[in-house]
Amino acid sequence: MHWVKDVTLHEDDPPRRGGYAPISWAIFNSFLITLARRLGCRTLPDCIRHLANQVHQVFRWLT
């Protein structure tokens, strides 16, 4: 999972520093990876492209 976060989501070189931003983004990235796996997407970029136009569906999963 670390490799996916580092290579695909560039988590090791974030533009956001300080405060709780890095922790918040790490949690969001973990959520995104879990969601992609549950949806059965082949790759994370494919899932991101698939969900980019379906924000309402993502919000429905959050509730």
Side-chain angles (χ1 to χ4, degrees), residues 2-20:
H2 176 72
W3 186 86
V4 173
K5 285 181 165 185
D6 188 27
V7 174
T8 306
L9 301 173
H10 306 286
E11 193 171 80
D12 283 348
D13 44 282
R16 55 233 167 246
R17 301 193 197 290
Y20 294 108

Side-chain angles (χ1 to χ4, degrees), residues 11-38:
E11 193 171 80
D12 283 348
D13 44 282
R16 55 233 167 246
R17 301 193 197 290
Y20 294 108
I23 296 169
S24 298
W25 278 104
I27 292 169
F28 177 74
N29 289 341
S30 295
F31 169 74
L32 181 63
I33 292 168
T34 302
L35 182 63
R37 288 180 178 167
R38 287 197 175 197

Side-chain angles (χ1 to χ4, degrees), residues 40-59:
C41 295
R42 230 177 61 119
T43 65
L44 190 57
D46 286 344
C47 190
I48 292 171
R49 282 190 291 274
H50 174 72
L51 293 176
N53 295 325
Q54 299 180 8
V55 177
H56 64 283
Q57 188 175 11
V58 174
F59 282 123

